[in-house]
Amino acid sequence: MSAELAEPASKIELPAGVGGGGEIPSFDVTLRVRRYNPEVSEDATWDDFKVTMYGTDRVLDALHKIKWEIDGSVSFRRSCAHGVCGSDAMRINGRNRLACKTLLKDLDTSKPITVEPIKGLPVEKDLIVDMEPFFQSFREVMPFLINRGHEPTKERLQSAEDRERFDDTTKCILCAACTSSCPVFWTDGQYFGPAAIVNAHRFIFDSRDDAGDMRLEILNDKEGVWRCRTTFNCSEACPRGIQVTKAIAEVKQAILARKI
Amino acid sequence: MDATQIQSPRAAKVGAGRVAPQYNRSGSSKGNFEMFAWLFMRLSGVVLVVLIFGHLAVNLLVGEGIHAIDFGFVAGKWADPFWQVWDLAMLWLAMLHGTNGVRTIINDYAEKDATRLWLKTVLYAATLVIVVLGTLVIFTFDPCPVANGVQLPGGFCPAP
């Protein structure tokens, strides 16, 4: 048995040519990538790369092809490449998206596709930005469960309705697409930003958490929720479809309800 | 440099700390000013809709409408405490609503602290002048001003 690990024969007769997924259309596409290397020049430039890609490919695949086959110095972050880790948020054709969730065929391939780093955070190289200011704001809202009661001996139970209350904001993957799409954050880096507020919302409205008041007090800062101008850029940018602006509005209401 | 120490390429670029200084919140702002400013914007907006459309209807639509507006019409309105209060509320709410809106825009768009300070100084000075002057006019308005015993031209008042 040990030597024979071949695939078992198919039980269905398939005609030749079927089963390989068929012919995937391929097309040429130009990627216009924002390049920045502080060791070479203080100025950022645009580089065009023409690559042949397939209809099933994403922008990330094109970037891989460029890095692996054309120019190894192109730098970008990516980790899981499947829209979960939140590493490869970038500005594609002027909109913040995840490179791993944006299919090339959904973009206008007749024109060059522009790929830039997300705005508002310091660029380190090419498409890589310094995420530290973003995570600093995230940490400041205390994104962890705080419970003053006795330590339970089993898990903390919660009704389905209570869980539903903050379900939307549990989806955040901290990709910074929302915060770096916010025009307030572009000029005022001190603003907590949508992502920090979303993650505060996730605990403020969690019935098991006791530190909602502390988080509301933190976000009542002059750089907190009142800085939001409801432009909805964040809701539009979120690759997880979180209603970010709605979450911010709910935190505003919670602060008002507590104060008045 | 010690062999175990890892070079930090971004340190020179962004300053002393790990986070560039423009991202560090300058102290915690105690108080609820921004909250009340936000709330005032919404409430004054709702009230202003009533006040302004009421004002427009009374001035431009009711009676002879736009043809009735002249010095005498305004003088007649301000002889009535009701319209004095109405116009005063409109003046104050509109000025504060607008000032707060421009203040927000300055906060959003001014990139340098000095620019922000100067724009806001000009804004607050302009607001103060208009609010004080407007309030003064509404309450001290005299349709028949007399200077040195001689009536000033206007033509609406009976001879003294």
Side-chain angles (χ1 to χ4, degrees), chain A residues 42 120-122 124 130 132-133 136-137 140 187 189-190 192 220-222 226-227 229 252 256 259-260, chain B residues 10 13 18-19 22-29 31-32 34-36 38-39 104 107-109 111:
Chain A
E42 280 296 306
L121 291 163
E124 296 192 323
D130 179 8
E132 201 47 45
Q136 177 172 273
S137 293
E140 272 176 54
T187 49
Q190 296 183 25
F192 273 85
N220 192 23
D221 191 272
K222 76 175 165 59
W226 311 114
R227 215 74 180 74
R229 304 273 165 272
K252 283 177 188 166
L256 281 175
K259 294 275 179 189
I260 296 168
Chain B
R10 78 174 74 139
K13 173 90 187 160
R18 277 181 5 111
V19 171
Q22 73 267 28
Y23 295 97
N24 281 318
R25 273 175 280 287
S26 41
S28 63
S29 64
N32 302 312
E34 290 295 334
M35 181 187 80
F36 286 118
W38 185 90
L39 199 62
T104 314
N107 278 343
D108 282 358
Y109 287 97
E111 288 181 10

Side-chain angles (χ1 to χ4, degrees), chain A residues 132-179:
Chain A
E132 201 47 45
F134 172 81
F135 285 120
Q136 177 172 273
S137 293
F138 170 65
R139 280 191 291 268
E140 272 176 54
V141 301
M142 302 183 291
F144 40 81
L145 184 84
I146 299 173
N147 191 289
R148 302 230 168 71
H150 292 291
E151 190 91 345
T153 50
K154 54 191 178 84
E155 65 182 301
R156 299 172 198 273
L157 293 177
Q158 185 173 45
S159 72
E161 294 75 45
D162 284 347
R163 177 62 177 72
E164 183 60 31
R165 180 68 192 85
F166 59 93
D167 186 67
D168 200 35
T169 45
T170 61
K171 298 173 190 162
C172 178
I173 56 172
L174 294 171
C175 66
C178 58
T179 296

Side-chain angles (χ1 to χ4, degrees), chain A residues 107-121:
Chain A
L107 301 168
D108 181 5
T109 49
S110 66
K111 285 188 286 185
I113 294 166
T114 61
V115 183
E116 302 161 76
I118 47 177
K119 275 179 84 168
L121 291 163

